[in-house]
Amino acid sequence: MRAALLFSAGKDSTLAGLLLEDFYDVTLVTASFGVVGPEPAREAAEALGFPHETVALDPDVAREAVERMHDDGYPRNGIQQVHEHAVERVAEGEWTDGLDAVADGTRRDDRVPTIERPFAQSVEDRFDVDYLAPLAGIGRGAIDDMAADELVVETGPSAEIPKADYEVELRALLVDEYGDGAVAEVFPDHTQSRVRGRR
Amino acid sequence: MRAALLFSAGKDSTLAGLLLEDFYDVTLVTASFGVVGPEPAREAAEALGFPHETVALDPDVAREAVERMHDDGYPRNGIQQVHEHAVERVAEGEWTDGLDAVADGTRRDDRVPTIERPFAQSVEDRFDVDYLAPLAGIGRGAIDDMAADELVVETGPSAEIPKADYEVELRALLVDEYGDGAVAEVFPDHTQSRVRGRR
């Protein structure tokens, strides 16, 4: 069976891939608005031994999300909107002949992004694929332990870890649209992880 | 790391074990009121190559659950109550020196049993273990596909598949307390699966 996993080069999406690889031929897919290059994700995928693809996200979705995050003063709703769009774009599977499942690294303890059961079932119905969230029933502590055992991970402040996910792009678009201060206002400081390979 | 997985010999708990086995030393644990023997679960665990243990559930919890199911006319609340008790009993880990995690086979598309995040975190806090539900983000279709690829499974009406889980015991206790008709009234017919081994 073939699964496409939304991949940011972070700890969570990588661990989701490791959980699924005994059951599916997993392709890591980085969804991008074309603002930053996919190289960090491609490098990580190669180090992990998974094939890697990119899919293009709709720039209109980015514009809407950035405006929403700025108006809200926090990123939650904008990120959720972009994540749902990314799942749908991957599920369409334009880059492949056939796909049994689309997957992501959403976790039990995250507020966003999160995929509720109705959205999952809607994706399954509309795109005729299964939607898999192998970390949805696993907490932060266990994920950290599993990653420490299996992965070489680099961590640091979001701004200093080169990643290739849509969150990096949304930050860049916020700066373009509203200036440097907007990012600090909307995104509270938080630590990012970037996977360098398997242990 | 060591994980104890609530095990009924069914497809779901088996698949949960397969998802976790690359990350944890998994022991399959059958929780029992002592009404039926654990042999079917022990046999299945052996065929799968996992160590197997049993833990005793509190008969008072069974009595309360059976009364509740009979009063309700459906099994949902009684089963949920027993499942939460079983997770707590396994998390106590009396049969072992140290446990990093307790796990079960609860699935995204089940109405019961289901472990909500507050209960999961309460278990983690009270027993100092992680709680893992590797199928919580996976739908019925994908679970069926994964099981078909990996497992030899026998399926049939609940009454005819020898299993060793607390649901079988609750049925027997319902008959004892309220007569043969009570089971048909409370439990709608549904198909059970019993795992015979790996493919």
Side-chain angles (χ1 to χ4, degrees), chain A residues 107-111 136 140, chain B residues 115-124 131:
Chain A
R107 319 186 299 180
R108 185 191 79 189
D109 296 343
D110 282 340
R111 292 181 67 194
R140 190 177 304 247
Chain B
I115 298 294
E116 299 295 335
R117 200 180 146 204
F119 182 78
Q121 289 189 316
S122 154
V123 167
E124 293 183 342
Y131 165 75

Side-chain angles (χ1 to χ4, degrees), chain A residues 19 22 108-109 117 124 133 137, chain B residues 19 22 108-109 124 133 137:
Chain A
L19 276 158
D22 290 347
R108 185 191 79 189
D109 296 343
R117 199 179 146 205
E124 294 182 342
Chain B
L19 275 158
D22 289 346
R108 186 190 79 189
D109 296 343
E124 293 183 342

Side-chain angles (χ1 to χ4, degrees), chain B residues 182-197:
Chain B
V183 169
E185 202 177 302
V186 168
F187 285 90
D189 287 331
H190 78 293
T191 301
Q192 286 282 4
S193 68
R194 181 189 174 209
V195 169
R196 308 304 304 254

Side-chain angles (χ1 to χ4, degrees), chain B residues 110-165:
Chain B
D110 282 339
R111 291 182 66 191
V112 285
T114 180
I115 298 294
E116 299 295 335
R117 200 180 146 204
F119 182 78
Q121 289 189 316
S122 154
V123 167
E124 293 183 342
D125 292 344
R126 282 181 291 144
F127 300 101
D128 192 25
V129 293
D130 290 312
Y131 165 75
L132 315 170
L135 303 185
I138 302 184
R140 193 178 302 247
I143 288 171
D144 287 347
D145 289 345
M146 292 161 82
D149 278 0
E150 303 289 333
L151 300 172
V152 180
V153 179
E154 174 186 38
T155 56
S158 298
E160 290 167 24
I161 298 292
K163 287 178 71 178
D165 61 354

Side-chain angles (χ1 to χ4, degrees), chain B residues 17 26 28 31 51 58 60 106 120 123 136 141 150 152 164 168 177-179 189:
Chain B
V26 175
L28 304 182
D58 181 349
D60 286 343
T106 52
V123 167
E150 303 289 333
V152 180
V168 174
E177 195 73 21
Y178 302 100
D189 287 331

Side-chain angles (χ1 to χ4, degrees), chain A residues 25-193:
Chain A
D25 295 322
V26 175
T27 298
L28 304 182
V29 182
T30 301
S32 164
F33 292 110
V35 175
V36 301
E39 286 73 23
R42 192 178 298 282
E43 265 173 42
E46 201 170 311
L48 291 161
F50 287 105
H52 182 258
E53 296 284 343
T54 56
V55 300
L57 300 179
D58 180 348
D60 286 343
V61 173
R63 264 190 292 276
E64 212 180 294
V66 164
E67 191 181 329
R68 180 147 193 193
M69 292 189 294
H70 181 258
D71 292 352
D72 287 346
Y74 53 82
R76 186 154 23 109
N77 297 321
I79 286 185
Q80 180 65 28
Q81 202 171 343
V82 171
H83 189 74
E84 293 185 3
H85 171 59
V87 168
E88 289 171 345
R89 290 289 295 126
V90 174
E92 282 172 0
E94 281 170 10
W95 46 276
T96 179
D97 267 351
L99 204 54
D100 299 290
V102 55
D104 66 22
T106 52
R107 319 186 299 180
R108 185 191 79 189
D109 296 343
D110 282 340
R111 292 181 67 194
V112 285
T114 181
I115 298 294
E116 301 294 336
R117 199 179 146 205
F119 182 78
Q121 288 188 318
S122 153
V123 167
E124 294 182 342
D125 292 344
R126 282 181 291 144
F127 300 101
D128 192 25
V129 292
D130 291 311
Y131 164 75
L132 314 170
L135 305 184
I138 302 185
R140 190 177 304 247
I143 287 171
D144 288 346
D145 290 346
M146 290 161 84
D149 278 0
E150 303 290 332
L151 299 173
V152 180
V153 180
E154 174 186 38
T155 57
S158 299
E160 289 168 25
I161 298 291
K163 287 176 73 177
D165 59 356
Y166 56 71
E167 192 179 317
V168 173
E169 297 188 298
L170 293 173
R171 285 164 189 272
L173 292 169
L174 260 174
V175 171
D176 282 358
E177 195 73 22
Y178 301 100
D180 277 335
V183 169
E185 201 178 302
V186 169
F187 285 90
D189 287 332
H190 79 292
T191 301
Q192 287 281 5
S193 68

